[in-house]
Amino acid sequence: MKFFSALLIIQLWMATSTQAQWLQVPNIPAEPILALFSEGNDLYAAGANRIYHSKDGGTSWSTSAIIHQDEDEITDLVVVDGIIYAAMIQDGCYISTDGGKNWQKNNAGLTGLGATNLSALAVRGDKIYVATIGAGVFVKPLANPLAPWSPFNTNIPWSNVQSLIADGNQLLAGAGANATLSRNSASSATWSEHSFDRFNGQINLFLDATRSGQVLLGAGSQGLYRSTDDGVKWTHFNPGVGLVERVRFANWHGQVVALLTKPNGSFLRNTTDTGQTWSAFPLAPPKNGLGFDLLAQGGKLFYAASNGLWSLSATVAAREPKEPEMSLGQSFPNPTVDGFARIPFSLRISQNVSLAVIDLQGRVIRKLSLGRLLAGPHEFTIDLNGVAAGMYTYVLRSEDELQVQRMIVLH
């Protein structure tokens, strides 16, 4: 089955209604957690002006010293060989070489208007890079953490750089707001600009990227994107949430999860087919807060938000895999155009089952409780009259198992 084929995805979805839930991480205040980073087994979480550090996967935490006494906040966080780099929104870069006990400002070389207004950090090879809102990109060697920064802007046409991502040997910079990004390879001192979407007159910043196999997944203000040629050409997917201001990706248990945040809310989407389609993540983000970052670490998914740090554990049965007790076929006709879809399935044993149709926002729009059915083939018709045209997920569920397929509704 092409969609939702990973066993762990299915088990996580099944756990949604029973035991899987977001849990607030203890020992961290319910304050804004703005950035996450992991190095080996160590997990780091950035508050506005201090760093929290866990050596045991998020169970216990130590707290760094206050970085400085000014009104400011961290925008990004990188840790290399235990050395902590904190990018600040106003006051540049701070470094701690002793695990956060002491901090030093490291702004030498950050020159130009907006050079200390930092937006992102990235590490490639033996160098660390920083993006600024106003003065482009700067670089320095990791071997000397207190070395001055040097400009690294040749051919970047925009000085406002909202994102900076290291993708293997290349860097991607979200420079400008007209649906373009800049790319740089490790062997080159210059950047090249590429469109990731057609500019339609609305703001479209490149916000983040990650790998899913050989495919590069990206995010802009107007949605999600995928590239099969390392970021030269992109195709668009509309996740259905409108314009977003911040996106973070996490690769977790065979899927890529995307956090999309706008001023009035945060959304989670996931893909198991390298970004060809995205669906609502089975669990909505924790309520009453905006999401800032997402990180997979030690089997858990961590969610940094305006009301603290949260974690989610995938529930995996501790037993040998068994033969599926039901199978779900493709709906027909597909696409459906007359308002009705016939859904075939087969049961290996007699059991209680239900059918549901779910939209890309995770809302159940149709549900049939079928009761206990005998073993063997079955077929049921679902009335889709009044349902908007688009792609939908339909789910066959028993007490112990879940099967998922996709359908297209046309009018």
Side-chain angles (χ1 to χ4, degrees):
M1 188 167 52
K2 183 176 181 182
F3 301 101
F4 291 88
S5 58
L7 176 61
L8 288 174
I9 308 298
I10 294 173
Q11 290 169 324
L12 177 58
W13 193 313
M14 292 184 67
T16 300
S17 63
T18 55
Q19 51 189 313
Q21 59 180 318
W22 290 104
L23 298 176
Q24 191 150 21
V25 173
N27 305 320
I28 287 186
E31 65 183 26
I33 302 299
L34 304 171
L36 300 172
F37 195 85
S38 63
E39 185 185 41
N41 294 321
D42 289 59
L43 177 61
Y44 297 83
N49 201 20
R50 70 176 69 201
I51 305 297
Y52 300 96
H53 177 202
S54 176
K55 296 182 179 181
D56 56 11
T59 301
S60 59
W61 296 81
S62 60
T63 306
S64 79
I66 296 292
I67 295 177
H68 60 61
Q69 298 300 324
D70 300 329
E71 290 290 332
D72 207 349
E73 65 181 36
I74 295 171
T75 58
D76 204 2
L77 175 68
V78 161
V79 184
V80 182
D81 296 331
I83 298 172
I84 308 172
Y85 299 80
M88 311 297 291
I89 197 169
Q90 296 179 10
D91 206 21
C93 182
Y94 281 78
I95 295 175
S96 177
T97 59
D98 57 8
K101 297 177 182 178
N102 295 280
W103 293 91
Q104 303 174 67
K105 185 185 290 189
N106 181 227
N107 289 345
L110 295 179
T111 57
L113 183 65
T116 61
N117 305 138
L118 308 187
S119 59
L121 293 163
V123 172
R124 180 180 65 178
D126 59 357
K127 295 180 176 63
I128 185 169
Y129 301 80
V130 65
T132 72
I133 305 299
V137 177
F138 294 82
V139 62
K140 69 173 181 173
L142 289 168
N144 184 1
L146 298 178
W149 298 89
S150 300
F152 193 67
N153 293 314
T154 304
N155 284 355
I156 291 186
W158 311 95
S159 57
N160 290 340
V161 182
Q162 300 285 342
S163 63
L164 191 62
I165 304 103
D167 171 48
N169 290 326
Q170 74 170 342
L171 290 174
L172 302 174
N178 62 341
T180 61
L181 60 85
S182 293
R183 298 171 65 242
N184 168 262
S185 65
S187 60
S188 175
T190 64
W191 296 78
S192 58
E193 189 178 37
H194 302 268
S195 297
F196 64 90
D197 203 349
R198 178 176 295 180
F199 183 58
N200 58 10
Q202 284 189 305
I203 185 172
N204 201 356
L205 297 157
F206 192 76
L207 299 172
D208 198 15
T210 191
R211 280 278 168 185
S212 179
Q214 299 300 310
V215 177
L216 185 59
L217 304 180
S221 306
Q222 297 184 26
L224 297 165
Y225 299 84
R226 72 190 302 266
S227 172
T228 57
D229 58 5
D230 294 331
V232 177
K233 297 179 181 178
W234 298 81
T235 57
H236 175 250
F237 183 92
N238 182 3
V241 301
L243 291 176
V244 295
E245 294 185 351
R246 186 180 183 94
V247 177
R248 292 292 184 268
F249 293 107
N251 289 268
W252 187 57
H253 288 304
Q255 62 183 315
V256 176
V257 185
L259 164 65
L260 303 97
T261 294
K262 52 197 301 182
N264 62 348
S266 293
F267 307 85
L268 291 173
R269 297 289 184 264
N270 69 318
T271 180
T272 58
D273 58 7
T274 65
Q276 295 182 72
T277 58
W278 293 81
S279 298
F281 191 65
L283 281 179
K287 295 181 179 180
N288 304 319
L290 291 178
F292 294 116
D293 208 349
L294 204 61
L295 178 69
Q297 170 74 357
K300 296 181 179 180
L301 186 63
F302 287 90
Y303 177 88
S306 58
N307 57 353
L309 181 62
W310 302 75
S311 70
L312 177 67
S313 299
T315 302
V316 181
R319 61 174 181 248
E320 291 296 319
K322 64 178 183 179
E323 182 181 351
E325 295 179 346
M326 58 188 188
S327 62
L328 179 61
Q330 178 61 57
S331 63
F332 59 96
N334 187 44
T336 179
V337 294
D338 63 357
F340 295 91
R342 299 188 297 280
I343 298 179
F345 60 89
S346 180
L347 304 180
R348 193 167 63 87
I349 62 173
S350 176
Q351 54 189 314
N352 286 303
V353 294
S354 65
L355 275 171
V357 178
I358 300 171
D359 67 14
L360 291 179
Q361 281 69 52
R363 297 171 297 198
V364 177
I365 62 168
R366 295 289 189 272
K367 185 173 182 180
L368 296 178
S369 296
L370 304 178
R372 178 170 290 277
L373 299 179
L374 297 176
H378 298 273
E379 180 184 296
F380 284 84
T381 298
I382 288 186
D383 184 351
L384 297 172
N385 283 289
V387 173
M391 182 175 289
Y392 294 84
T393 300
Y394 59 98
V395 182
L396 177 66
R397 189 169 191 165
S398 70
E399 295 179 2
D400 301 313
E401 196 172 335
L402 177 147
Q403 295 282 335
V404 181
Q405 279 277 18
R406 288 295 181 92
M407 66 167 64
I408 297 174
V409 175
L410 299 178
H411 296 301

